[in-house]
Amino acid sequence: MKFLHLADLHIGKNVNGFSMIEEQKYVFKQIIGYIGSECPQAVIIAGDVYDRALPSVEAVRLFDDFLTELAQQNVVVLLVSGNHDSPERLNYASRLLAEKSLYICGAYNGVIDKIVLDDDYGQVNFFLLPFIKPFTVRSLGEGNEIESYSDALEAALHKANIDYSGRNVLVSHQFYSKAGLLPLRSESELNQVGGLDAVSVELIEDFDYVALGHLHGRQSVGKEYIRYAGSPLKYSFSEWRQEKSIYLVELKDKGDFTVNALPLIPIHDMREIRGEFNKLINEESADQAYNEDYLRVILTDEEEIIDPLGKLSSMYPHIMSLSFENSRSAIDLDSISTEAENIEKLSCYDLFGEFFLDVQGCAMNEEQAEIIRELLSMEGML
C-alpha cells in the first residue's frame, strides 16, 4: 500500500508580513501532481491544517479547494488536528465527509478513530490521534493521575487495545522525543518551555509506521519508521537551509516498508545573504542572489547607511528581515543584563541606547547621543 504523508500545512500563515497563500496553492498543486504520478491509495495530513484556530476566509477556501481536489483523485484522506487547529471546526461535517473517504479527526473524545484499508497483503489499520493535552484526557475520566503529555498518550493508546500483530499506522500530532537525541526544531513551531510537551517515543515504537506532525523539519525519531514529514514550505529563517518535501510511504508485508521524500518547490525560496551594502546592491550580485527570493539580509558595513531597506528593496523586492552585523552590533550584551531584576540599574540613556541599537542595528553617533541627552535632561530623567 502506498500513501503520502504530509503535515503542518499552516494554511493562511503570514511570515514577516508576507502572505503564504499563493505559495501554499503552488505546493498543493505539486502534491496533487504526485498523486497522479505515484498513485497512492491514501493521503495522510498529520495536523496543523491552519495556522490559527480562527482561520481567515481565504485560508478556509483554499483548504476546501484542496480537499475537493483530493476527493477527485479517488484517494482516502486521513487527517488529524494539530495544536494550531480548532478541533471543533475541523470536526464540522466530518461524518458526511467520511462517506466520501475523507476521514477527519479533529477532537479526541476518548476513542482513537480506526480506519481499515485493504491491499494485496491484507488489512492496514490507520489510527487517527489528534493533538491532545493531559487535561483533555483527564476531563474524559481517564484518571486524575495523568499529569504529563506522555501520561495522556499512554492512557489513550492503552484504551485503544491495539493488536500489534497486524499492520498498524499511527497518525499523530505531538512532540515525540527520545533520550539522548536532539530533534531539529524551528522558530515557526510553538515550543513549550523546557520541553514540557515532550512525549516518550517508546510509546509508539510498536507501530509499523508513525506519520507525525508538529516539527517543521523532516526527520525520523529514533526509528526509521517514526517520522515527521515537516512543513511543505519554509515558515521561518531557521528553516532556510532545509529541503521541503512530502513522504511517499509504501507498506508491503509486516516489517517491510520504504520511504521516499518527494521534493516541493516554492515560488519564492527563502534564503539568507550577507555582505557590505555596496556589494549587495550591485546588479551582478543581485542576479547571483536570485533577487525574487524571500530574504534575510545581514549588512556588515561599519559606517551608517541612510535608508538601507528602501534602497535594497529596489533590487530585492521580497526582503523579510534586515539586520546589521559589525563591531557596533557585536557589543557583549552579557555585560549589560536587561533581565527584569536588573533593568532598574540602567539609566534612561542606557536603556534608550539599547533600544536604538536593537532597532537600527548600530549605535547612536555623537550628534544623536547629544540630542537624547538634552531631551532627557529637559524631562529631568538624566
Side-chain angles (χ1 to χ4, degrees), residues 107-266:
Y108 176 70
N109 60 6
V111 177
I112 300 179
D113 289 355
K114 176 182 174 182
I115 309 300
V116 180
L117 302 180
D118 295 308
D119 66 5
D120 293 339
Y121 296 89
Q123 293 184 336
V124 179
N125 306 309
F126 290 85
F127 293 90
L128 309 186
L129 182 58
F131 179 74
I132 60 174
K133 298 179 179 180
F135 170 77
T136 305
V137 181
R138 285 200 305 270
S139 67
L140 294 169
E142 300 296 323
N144 294 326
E145 71 280 1
I146 294 173
E147 297 181 354
S148 68
Y149 281 77
S150 281
D151 292 340
L153 266 292
E154 185 174 13
L157 291 170
H158 177 74
K159 187 177 181 181
N161 194 27
I162 298 169
D163 178 7
Y164 289 104
S165 66
R167 290 182 299 159
N168 301 304
V169 175
L170 176 66
V171 183
S172 177
H173 188 100
Q174 303 281 161
F175 173 37
Y176 291 94
S177 64
K178 186 174 180 63
L181 292 179
L182 187 64
L184 175 65
R185 306 206 71 171
S186 72
E187 296 170 358
S188 58
E189 302 157 12
L190 287 179
N191 298 331
Q192 283 276 4
V193 176
L196 295 178
D197 57 344
V199 177
S200 173
V201 74
E202 295 177 356
L203 294 175
I204 56 175
E205 288 182 341
D206 290 333
F207 286 90
D208 295 274
Y209 184 82
V210 182
L212 296 177
H214 187 53
L215 301 187
H216 288 189
R218 73 184 190 206
Q219 58 196 290
S220 58
V221 187
K223 305 290 186 179
E224 285 299 307
Y225 56 85
I226 302 176
R227 290 177 175 263
Y228 285 99
S231 57
L233 291 165
K234 300 172 184 179
Y235 289 136
S236 74
F237 281 101
S238 61
E239 304 168 38
W240 78 275
R241 294 184 185 275
Q242 295 178 12
E243 294 181 356
K244 296 300 184 178
S245 62
I246 58 175
Y247 282 135
L248 174 65
V249 183
E250 184 172 6
L251 290 182
K252 297 179 181 178
D253 207 355
K254 187 169 178 66
D256 186 3
F257 74 99
T258 59
V259 181
N260 291 302
L262 306 178
L264 295 174
I265 309 302

